[in-house]
């Protein structure tokens, strides 16, 4: 499958006259709890030749490839990526920490990682993860049987909130690292590990009865972070200067 993905990235470069700076696996495979039939969620950052940017009209700043049952692949232009980076966009920041990297031929991704202490914004990132967790939790509460994967789509953002509150840094992408960071009740950990084993050995559609232990934990954390966010302030965002320098220097690095 990796060969298929690499070949697809090569085709995207040729068809669009771009260079892919960075390409990774996102979604459940990057998070570390893929089912046997999980698809591949490939995300990438790319750059056009210099002249493409010397234009007054707005241009498309993303590339989407038609999705099939096995592969979901799309990417952002470097300018879009840097604008989202300035906003501390959690989706983009997760890409930078993916454990599965398909391509990293240039210095852009590492330079963005190096700048992260100046651009990471904890409060909006907790808002982001709490919003995901709360919406998914409401869906679960309306059913008697729960798809196993739905538990992890709530657990992971909740654990990310806990990581940020504790460390004031961007949480890692992998679920196992988020779990290892927290001092959780042993009964809860055992229940999560049983479900994790079932998910990775099973299919995306597999369901389980509601787990009171996990449901109680999730509800307490959703309630806690809803209140927590009322007590903290958003930080002042960093400026564009370092990102403008990064953009210009990456253009030179790639195209000369």
């Amino acid at each position: 499958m990796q060969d298929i993905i690499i070949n697809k990235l090569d085709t995207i470069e040729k068809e669009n006259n771009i260079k892919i700076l960075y390409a990774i696996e996102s979604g459940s495979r990057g998070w570390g709890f893929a089912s046997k039939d999980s698809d591949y969620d490939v995300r990438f950052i790319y750059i056009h030749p210099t002249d493409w940017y010397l234009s007054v009209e707005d241009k498309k700043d993303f590339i989407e490839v038609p999705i099939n049952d096995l592969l979901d692949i799309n990417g952002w232009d470097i300018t879009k990526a840097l604008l989202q980076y300035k906003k501390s966009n959690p989706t983009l920041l997760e890409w930078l920490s993916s454990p599965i990297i398909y391509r990293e031929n240039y210095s852009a991704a590492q330079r963005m990682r190096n700048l992260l202490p100046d651009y990471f914004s904890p409060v909006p990132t907790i808002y982001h993860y709490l919003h995901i967790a709360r919406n998914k939790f409401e869906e679960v509460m309306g059913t008697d049987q729960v798809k196993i994967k739905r538990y992890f789509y709530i657990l992971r953002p909740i654990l990310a909130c806990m990581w940020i509150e504790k460390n004031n840094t961007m949480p890692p992408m992998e679920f196992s690292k988020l779990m290892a960071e927290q001092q959780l009740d042993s009964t809860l950990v055992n229940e999560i590990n049983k479900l994790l084993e079932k998910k990775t050995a099973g299919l995306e559609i597999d369901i389980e009865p509601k787990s009171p232990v996990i449901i109680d934990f999730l509800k307490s954390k959703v309630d806690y972070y809803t209140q927590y966010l009322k007590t903290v302030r958003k930080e002042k965002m960093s400026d564009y200067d370092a990102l403008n320098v990064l953009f210009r220097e990456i253009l030179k690095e790639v195209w000369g």
Side-chain angles (χ1 to χ4, degrees), residues 159 163 166 174-184:
L159 291 172
W163 175 288
K166 180 179 180 180
E174 301 101 310
F175 185 78
S176 60
K177 290 184 179 180
L178 291 171
M179 281 280 290
E181 177 69 13
Q182 305 302 328
Q183 298 296 318
L184 302 174

Side-chain angles (χ1 to χ4, degrees), residues 28-201:
S28 60
R29 293 184 182 276
W31 298 334
F33 49 73
S35 303
K36 290 192 298 184
D37 61 340
S38 293
D39 63 358
Y40 290 78
D41 297 295
V42 181
R43 301 293 179 261
F44 61 92
I45 301 170
Y46 63 90
I47 193 166
H48 285 277
T50 303
D51 285 353
W52 189 89
Y53 299 100
L54 304 178
S55 175
V56 297
E57 78 265 27
D58 291 332
K59 294 183 177 180
K60 184 179 177 182
D61 58 4
F62 63 93
I63 293 172
E64 289 182 330
V65 177
I67 298 173
N68 58 42
D69 291 339
L70 193 59
L71 185 58
D72 177 354
I73 180 168
N74 61 70
W76 291 354
D77 178 76
I78 183 65
T79 55
K80 178 182 177 71
L82 290 176
L83 287 171
Q84 294 302 312
Y85 182 88
K86 184 180 182 297
K87 298 176 182 178
S88 192
N89 181 299
T91 299
L92 174 65
L93 300 188
E94 283 191 6
W95 296 358
L96 295 174
S97 67
S98 175
I100 304 174
I101 299 174
Y102 296 116
R103 182 169 297 179
E104 188 171 357
N105 296 336
Y106 302 98
S107 66
Q110 186 56 50
R111 293 180 65 171
M112 291 167 76
R113 295 186 194 106
N114 294 343
L115 287 171
L116 196 52
D118 295 329
Y119 284 87
F120 176 67
S121 190
V123 174
T125 308
I126 292 179
Y127 270 107
H128 167 83
Y129 284 119
L130 178 61
H131 177 73
I132 294 172
R134 188 160 46 205
N135 285 350
K136 297 294 184 183
F137 185 70
E138 289 174 357
E139 293 175 8
V140 166
M141 291 305 293
T143 63
D144 295 324
Q145 299 285 322
V146 180
K147 285 186 179 180
I148 296 176
K149 70 176 185 179
R150 288 189 180 274
Y151 281 119
F152 293 97
Y153 288 172
I154 311 169
L155 282 165
R156 183 176 169 274
I158 286 296
L159 291 172
C161 291
M162 296 170 68
W163 175 288
I164 297 166
E165 182 187 9
K166 180 179 180 180
N167 300 301
N168 211 41
T169 61
M170 183 65 192
M173 179 181 278
E174 301 101 310
F175 185 78
S176 60
K177 290 184 179 180
L178 291 171
M179 281 280 290
E181 177 69 13
Q182 305 302 328
Q183 298 296 318
L184 302 174
D185 178 81
S186 60
T187 302
L188 174 64
V189 171
N190 290 337
E191 188 77 359
I192 292 172
N193 286 336
K194 283 194 296 184
L195 287 176
L196 183 59
E197 185 176 342
K198 289 181 179 180
K199 186 181 188 308
T200 55

Side-chain angles (χ1 to χ4, degrees), residues 186-246:
S186 60
T187 302
L188 174 64
V189 171
N190 290 337
E191 188 77 359
I192 292 172
N193 286 336
K194 283 194 296 184
L195 287 176
L196 183 59
E197 185 176 342
K198 289 181 179 180
K199 186 181 188 308
T200 55
L203 303 176
E204 287 285 286
I205 61 172
D206 288 351
I207 61 174
E208 284 279 315
K210 277 185 183 175
S211 166
V213 173
I214 296 180
I215 292 295
D216 288 348
F217 169 74
L218 294 175
K219 184 178 187 308
S220 69
K221 291 301 179 182
V222 168
D223 291 343
Y224 170 79
Y225 284 107
T226 299
Q227 295 303 313
Y228 173 80
L229 287 173
K230 296 177 181 178
T231 69
V232 292
R233 293 183 178 181
K234 293 178 67 174
E235 308 84 354
K236 182 180 178 181
M237 299 300 290
S238 301
D239 60 31
Y240 288 99
D241 292 348
L243 302 184
N244 285 329
V245 170
L246 192 158

